[in-house]
Amino acid sequence: MVAPVLRGAAVALCALPLLGCGVAPGSVDGGSPAATEESDAGETLTGELTVFAAASLTDGFTELAGRFEEANPGVTVRLSFAGSGTLVQQIEHGAPADVLATADIPTMDRAVDAGLTASDAVVFASNRLQIAVPPDDPANVQGLADLAQPANTIALCAVEVPCGAAAEAVFDLAGLEPAPDTREQDVKAVLTKIVLGEADAGLVYRTDIRAAGETVRGVDFPEAAQVVNDYPVAVVTEAPQALLAEAFIDSVRSETGEEALTDLGFDLP
């Protein structure tokens, strides 16, 4: 099992089966090439790599996948984003993934315990929550206490997914009982509620707010600094492209990969 805190350390993981899910090709836009052009044995990398990643990694992994493809012209990266728990369930049910990246260690532990990962899991980034409100902030949200007011329309992640577990932790620290009107299965669904004006406020990762630009505004609150989600990544046990998977993980952890993630607001281990 993965230890509760493994910043910068290798962690043993496993692989799970899954159902079919939305898989999109990796972006090929911009960025400097990643360092990986050959395997450690000098073999040119080719083939199709399937990466299952937490929804909060959508922008970061789309950019990193594009860089990986540029550095390895014979490689196509297909990306599938969803809540971390959903991704693990999909692999458990047989989905053909090569790489699994989750938004917290406990969810990766589930994959490890189920024998779904073939390589050690490595923490490559961390993230924390921020309150998202519409640009005009109709509920005048000042802090976490406003998300405990039944008069406001609040969107939170389901407690079973990492952003929901983190939300429960910050409310516990603040001694507050949240009053959500909706519980979503991933952080992007919460953000969409805010962008569409269907909720007065919600808890998402600060990287999501940065990526959303002027469509939402972020409100900081002190408890967020005490609840930091570490992001581990590993090769899936039944990975059809294990060599590509290892090379992709190396590129994520390379200097250029780390620069891309920090530019998007992630912290490094």
Side-chain angles (χ1 to χ4, degrees), residues 82-260:
S84 297
T86 298
L87 296 173
V88 172
Q89 290 179 343
Q90 289 175 334
I91 297 174
E92 284 179 326
H93 287 84
D98 298 296
V99 173
L100 172 65
T102 64
D104 69 356
I105 288 176
T107 305
M108 185 61 88
D109 277 343
R110 287 174 46 199
V112 173
D113 292 344
L116 300 180
T117 58
S119 72
D120 289 342
V122 180
V123 174
F124 65 95
S126 62
N127 210 347
R128 66 187 66 179
L129 296 176
Q130 195 173 30
I131 300 171
V133 300
D136 58 351
D137 189 11
N140 189 28
V141 173
Q142 301 293 313
L144 204 58
D146 293 306
L147 278 66
Q149 298 298 324
N152 294 331
T153 304
I154 305 301
L156 298 176
C157 288
V159 295
E160 296 81 12
V161 298
C163 57
E168 290 296 294
V170 295
F171 280 114
D172 285 346
L173 284 171
L176 295 169
E177 186 68 29
D181 294 274
T182 181
R183 292 275 193 180
E184 303 296 329
Q185 289 302 309
D186 65 61
V187 71
K188 292 300 185 185
V190 173
L191 184 66
T192 298
K193 292 288 184 181
I194 309 303
V195 172
L196 296 178
E198 296 176 355
D200 295 318
L203 283 181
V204 301
Y205 295 112
R206 60 181 182 175
T207 53
D208 298 301
I209 291 175
R210 180 177 296 196
E214 297 181 355
T215 60
V216 298
R217 185 166 66 81
V219 178
D220 290 318
F221 58 99
E223 292 81 5
Q226 302 178 58
V227 181
V228 177
N229 277 21
D230 288 322
Y231 285 59
V233 62
V235 179
V236 174
T237 299
E238 302 296 335
Q241 295 283 358
L243 184 63
L244 284 180
E246 292 172 357
F248 179 77
I249 291 173
D250 286 344
S251 73
V252 169
R253 301 180 64 210
S254 69
E255 183 175 347
T256 54
E258 291 182 345
E259 288 177 356

Side-chain angles (χ1 to χ4, degrees), residues 34-70:
T36 304
E37 294 184 352
E38 294 182 340
S39 69
D40 291 342
E43 179 183 353
T44 300
L45 298 175
T46 61
E48 185 173 281
L49 176 71
T50 302
V51 177
F52 278 29
S56 51
L57 290 167
T58 299
D59 297 282
F61 268 32
T62 297
E63 179 172 340
L64 293 176
R67 295 185 180 200
F68 190 70
E69 289 178 334
E70 287 184 347

